[in-house]
Amino acid sequence: MEPTYKVSFWFRKILVPIDGSENSLKALDLAIDFNMRYGSEITVLHICENCNQDKIKRLVENRTKGKINYLFKIRHLNSETSPSNEILQEINEGNYDAVIMGARGLTTNPDIITGSVTIAVIVNAPVTVITVR
């Protein structure tokens, strides 16, 4: 299937924030599909304080299974920032065309449909944000 120019243009460069939750991994699956269909460049972003980046890298590798090339970035939190601010900063610095992210992350409250980080990104991002459930 040849990519259409219009769709290819909208999704040239995609940011996928990953926290290890099932929804974030589903978002990665969608980004992989965009890469395979439209040639989108994928950047996987993990934000953490004291994280085990090897665990997240393994999750991403298991999902991609060598199907695509992607860039993996880590941004570290400190007391002056938040995950949503780090995502928004990465969007602005990286000139992304779209963000694909899970609707909610690792929260344990099953009543929450859309997480606070996702809502903050949706409201403040200057680009298209696709949320995955």
Side-chain angles (χ1 to χ4, degrees):
M1 176 179 191
E2 282 295 312
T4 64
Y5 176 76
K6 193 174 194 177
V7 173
S8 300
F9 183 73
W10 290 340
F11 300 106
R12 291 174 301 193
K13 193 171 179 185
I14 299 174
L15 179 66
V16 185
I18 297 287
D19 62 3
S21 67
E22 188 57 34
N23 283 336
S24 71
L25 295 174
K26 287 179 184 177
L28 179 58
D29 291 341
L30 181 59
I32 292 167
D33 188 63
F34 273 68
N35 171 272
M36 294 171 77
R37 289 179 188 268
Y38 307 116
S40 304
E41 180 183 313
I42 306 298
T43 299
V44 176
L45 175 66
H46 182 61
I47 301 165
C48 59
E49 281 181 81
N50 301 318
C51 61
N52 180 355
Q53 68 187 36
D54 293 335
K55 176 184 174 189
I56 295 296
K57 282 184 178 179
R58 276 195 307 276
L59 284 172
V60 172
E61 267 308 307
N62 287 342
R63 236 28 193 227
T64 60
K65 295 182 178 121
K67 294 180 210 172
I68 66 166
N69 291 322
Y70 61 90
L71 181 61
F72 185 84
K73 287 188 172 184
I74 299 257
R75 289 185 81 116
H76 295 280
L77 285 176
N78 59 48
S79 61
E80 299 171 5
T81 189
S82 68
S84 55
N85 284 344
E86 290 295 323
I87 293 168
L88 291 166
Q89 188 173 350
E90 179 64 32
I91 292 168
N92 290 323
E93 290 173 2
N95 296 317
Y96 295 93
D97 299 308
V99 177
I100 302 177
M101 64 188 301
R104 56 177 267 181
L106 296 170
T107 183
T108 57
N109 185 343
D111 297 331
I112 295 176
I113 296 172
T114 305
S116 60
V117 172
T118 303
I119 290 172
V121 172
I122 290 169
V123 169
N124 295 297
V127 297
T128 299
V129 178
I130 300 171
T131 58
V132 178
R133 296 190 196 289

